[in-house]
Amino acid sequence: MFDPHLVKKDFPILSRVIENKPLVYLDSASTSQKPQSVIDAITNYYANSNANIHRGVYTIAQEADAAYEATRESVKTFINAKSTEEIIFTRNTTEGINLVAYTWAEQNIHEGDIIIVSALEHHSNLIPWQQVAIKKNARLEVIPLSRNPETPYLLDMEWLKKYLTENKSVKLIAITHASNVTGTINPIKEIASLAHSLGSAKILIDGAQSAAHLPIDVQDFDCDFFAFSSHKMLGPTGVGILYGKKNLLEEMPPFLFGGDMIREVHQRDATWNDLPWKFEAGTQNIADVIAFKEAITYLTNLGMENVRQHDQKLIGYARAKLENIKNLKLHIPKNDTDMTGVISFAISGIHPHDIAEIFNSENVCIRGGNHCAKPLMESISVPATARISFSVYNTEEDIDIAIEAIMKAKKIFNIS
Amino acid sequence: MDLYAENILDHFQNPRNHGRLDKPTITVDDANPLCGDKLVLDLTVENSHIKEIGFDGSGCAISQAAMSILTEEILHKSLTDAESFSKDELYKLLGVAISPARVKCALLGYTLLKKAIILLKHQAQ
Ligand SMILES: Cc1ncc(COP(=O)(O)O)c(C=O)c1O
């Protein structure tokens, strides 16, 4: 295990003090903070190696090129892909999912086909599929939450199994690995195997919330696509990653057309570059991709198993404290092992927005709102939740400060 | 913690003119999609004056208290006066500093009222 107090020291923003109160950052599900090594890598690129990639013959261009491709190699290892051809850089998770919706789905979803999502989806993994369904006259189905009181906030896997035996025209299951509201970890390996047992169905995993919290092994999961964002895993904003199985990526048409993604160009037509560059049109976000490698190195040095253990420890610690607070309801699974470090809660009589505002008066950053998961809010019958989320730099002391902020909110609103 | 001044909390926890009207002249509703604040506002109008006002809603203290405060202010006013009632006057009544992040909450009820007046004018034409 690592000591999060030492980790904290690597993140300059976490030493900020505002109005005499230290910054306590508990909103990493939204975006994580960045260690000095990532910040330095951005500066270093601009100060020393700034050049466009894939075209220059001069030294700094070669350096930029090598560094950019080195990140791809790191990502490949981090998620255990078979080859770097399967790693496509995008802007974020949302763009990765849209890439699949505009290319793979365009070719493979037809009238009457079924796309399945879950009740836990972020809008990013819902709206693109709504649009495909509308455009193609396909059907969108939703795996509901379990109604068994023993398994709250988990998906109803029995529903899915039954549905798949009765509906053979399912072509895609697009599902989040971990929920950004309840923390729920979905059994994606099992779902992938169910999808593949249908023959032609594929599975896309939204890994936005899992990549920073769980060891990722796309070959073990046997998923067809896996999309995630650098900014939620200690890296810069503006970099997303789409993993896709090579045979699928090869058959997909390009997403965006222009420079870099072409092989041969004539006046009236063109052919496409090899993977993965076929999907990387135009000048890429070179600096941030290069710096993202440092984020992967940081997480790898901590060890993703250790990261997971740390997360579990904080969940257990927070749950024990939160469960004892009167008039506070947790919207999370019963078992710590079923979730990542994302804890939604509600306090009767105080709107989540007000909770977040009072937290802010203590310089504690949390989110209050629907977390871009409006249908999920409806499923769990709340307008919004307050949400605390953890990363590697959070400590038990951070949770203690959050608990004090909750007590302060209750006092202001006169809630027992 | 200036935002949660006694005035705001009082209106949030004991909203005035709370509850729907039986036969409103006009009903308007709106929601703040980011935080889930919701409001529905009923007005009955007689001789170009706001005779009755009622609202229902859910959401943060700011959105609900601001609505309550606003209803108290404009009840029995002429539509012309209600129409010219300004944001600054509302902020003055709220009496607390509203940060940019909370402007939408504070003004949700205000924009509803303005919407109602525009619709009423259209109806009258
Ligand atoms: C589960 C989930 N999916 C997708 C996204 C979208 O990520 P991005 O905004 O980086 O595209 C998020 C981010 O909040 C998320 O939590």
Side-chain angles (χ1 to χ4, degrees):
Chain A
M1 268 299 279
F2 54 87
D3 179 356
H5 299 89
L6 293 180
V7 169
K8 216 175 229 227
K9 295 205 167 96
D10 292 332
F11 292 73
I13 203 171
L14 298 177
S15 61
R16 252 197 94 172
V17 175
I18 303 174
E19 288 174 6
N20 282 325
K21 288 169 185 158
L23 184 73
V24 175
Y25 191 75
L26 290 167
D27 194 21
S28 296
S30 182
T31 194
S32 71
Q33 295 304 341
K34 326 299 175 199
Q36 189 66 51
S37 57
V38 167
I39 299 167
D40 287 346
I42 296 172
T43 313
N44 179 54
Y45 165 74
Y46 284 124
N48 295 307
S49 307
N50 178 45
N52 214 328
I53 52 171
H54 305 324
R55 28 195 120 168
V57 294
Y58 45 84
T59 305
I60 56 172
Q62 287 176 25
E63 283 171 5
D65 217 0
Y68 183 86
E69 292 303 327
T71 301
R72 203 188 305 276
E73 190 68 40
S74 285
V75 173
K76 180 204 126 193
T77 308
F78 189 73
I79 65 171
N80 193 32
K82 270 197 192 124
S83 125
T84 50
E85 294 172 290
E86 300 178 315
I87 309 297
I88 297 158
F89 289 120
T90 62
R91 283 186 306 148
N92 46 38
T93 305
T94 306
E95 189 174 274
I97 294 169
N98 274 277
L99 190 157
V100 178
Y102 276 97
T103 59
W104 180 86
E106 186 57 42
Q107 282 192 330
N108 292 281
I109 301 289
H110 304 289
E111 183 165 352
D113 285 347
I114 299 168
I115 299 170
I116 298 181
V117 296
S118 87
L120 291 167
E121 299 317 312
H122 185 280
H123 296 162
S124 282
N125 196 33
L126 172 64
I127 319 293
W129 306 119
Q130 289 178 349
Q131 289 302 309
V132 170
I134 291 168
K135 199 160 128 197
K136 297 283 188 165
N137 252 323
R139 194 137 62 95
L140 190 68
E141 279 292 345
V142 184
I143 310 170
L145 291 178
S146 166
R147 279 194 258 160
N148 180 345
E150 288 309 304
T151 52
Y153 307 102
L154 301 190
L155 290 182
D156 187 345
M157 286 297 290
E158 293 315 309
W159 179 95
L160 179 64
K161 284 176 203 161
K162 185 155 174 283
Y163 189 85
L164 293 180
T165 57
E166 291 165 0
N167 295 277
K168 299 298 174 195
S169 48
V170 172
K171 288 290 153 57
L172 177 71
I173 301 181
I175 189 166
T176 194
H177 192 180
S179 161
N180 67 316
V181 177
T182 63
T184 306
I185 300 171
N186 289 321
I188 53 165
K189 195 172 163 178
E190 184 186 352
I191 297 173
S193 140
L194 286 168
H196 292 147
S197 68
L198 294 176
S200 65
K202 304 295 176 217
I203 180 164
L204 173 141
I205 309 292
D206 172 353
Q209 289 298 333
S210 61
H213 290 269
L214 302 171
I216 303 297
D217 184 335
V218 290
Q219 293 189 62
D220 179 53
F221 300 159
D222 194 21
C223 53
D224 298 294
F225 300 103
F226 191 96
F228 56 112
S229 295
S230 149
H231 73 93
K232 290 189 198 281
M233 48 189 297
L234 317 185
T237 52
V239 179
I241 307 88
L242 175 69
Y243 158 84
K245 280 185 183 164
K246 188 179 166 187
N247 61 325
L248 295 174
L249 295 177
E250 274 173 340
E251 286 176 13
M252 282 152 57
F255 174 39
L256 298 172
F257 299 89
D260 277 341
M261 52 74 66
I262 34 76
R263 169 181 305 287
E264 274 182 59
V265 180
H266 310 289
Q267 196 62 66
R268 305 209 180 276
D269 58 19
T271 56
W272 315 137
N273 202 340
D274 294 332
L275 289 176
W277 305 290
K278 171 171 119 183
F279 291 104
E280 294 178 8
T283 297
Q284 299 296 297
N285 185 352
I286 306 167
D288 293 311
V289 167
I290 290 173
F292 177 43
K293 181 169 187 283
E294 297 304 321
I296 296 176
T297 303
Y298 197 96
L299 286 172
T300 307
N301 286 345
L302 291 177
M304 287 310 290
E305 295 291 346
N306 292 329
V307 169
R308 173 68 177 147
Q309 243 187 62
H310 168 68
D311 211 30
Q312 287 284 293
K313 199 169 146 219
L314 292 182
I315 297 167
Y317 185 83
R319 185 196 295 272
K321 300 227 159 183
L322 292 164
E323 269 175 354
N324 283 325
I325 299 178
K326 242 174 92 182
N327 286 316
L328 182 145
K329 178 166 171 50
L330 289 171
H331 292 288
I332 55 175
K334 275 195 170 174
N335 298 320
D336 296 350
T337 49
D338 286 333
M339 61 186 289
T340 61
V342 173
I343 299 181
S344 267
F345 63 95
I347 302 173
S348 42
I350 319 181
H351 190 273
H353 226 165
D354 295 317
I355 298 175
E357 182 94 39
I358 292 166
F359 268 67
N360 182 50
S361 70
E362 295 300 309
N363 207 10
V364 182
C365 312
I366 70 161
R367 260 295 266 287
N370 64 35
H371 316 291
C372 299
K374 196 109 185 305
L376 173 59
M377 295 292 121
E378 280 160 20
S379 299
I380 64 177
S381 305
V382 295
T385 70
R387 180 186 74 182
I388 288 174
S389 56
F390 308 131
S391 183
V392 292
Y393 37 70
N394 288 118
T395 60
E396 292 178 350
E397 290 82 0
D398 292 343
I399 295 169
D400 292 340
I401 295 172
I403 301 290
E404 278 170 35
I406 290 174
M407 294 311 179
K408 179 176 172 184
K410 289 183 70 179
K411 190 155 165 246
I412 289 173
F413 277 76
N414 242 321
I415 310 274
S416 65
Chain B
M1 202 65 254
D2 294 325
L3 189 54
Y4 300 101
E6 213 173 303
N7 173 40
I8 299 282
L9 284 175
D10 177 38
H11 275 274
F12 174 59
Q13 289 171 337
N14 312 291
R16 323 295 198 267
N17 301 306
H18 192 260
R20 304 293 305 274
L21 301 181
D22 279 342
K23 288 195 177 120
T25 319
I26 191 141
T27 297
V28 281
D29 62 12
D30 203 0
N32 185 344
L34 273 183
C35 47
D37 294 335
K38 277 188 197 155
L39 282 172
V40 51
L41 178 69
D42 290 330
L43 300 175
T44 52
V45 178
E46 249 181 50
N47 300 325
S48 295
H49 279 67
I50 296 170
K51 192 178 162 229
E52 291 175 297
I53 190 160
F55 80 96
D56 197 4
S58 61
C60 68
I62 307 305
S63 67
Q64 305 300 308
M67 182 81 262
S68 168
I69 289 169
L70 182 62
T71 59
E72 257 195 335
E73 182 64 19
I74 60 159
L75 182 62
H76 305 311
K77 277 218 159 81
S78 70
L79 287 180
T80 319
D81 285 351
E83 191 180 8
S84 62
F85 185 80
S86 73
K87 280 180 201 170
D88 285 343
E89 285 172 277
L90 176 67
Y91 284 137
K92 223 178 262 166
L93 287 177
L94 293 177
V96 295
I98 303 291
S99 71
R102 302 303 292 273
V103 165
K104 276 212 167 118
C105 311
L107 294 183
L108 185 62
Y110 177 85
T111 46
L112 262 191
L113 173 68
K114 296 291 161 168
K115 189 163 134 189
I117 291 170
I118 290 172
L119 289 173
L120 284 165
K121 278 178 125 180
H122 274 282
Q123 280 180 7
Q125 275 167 13

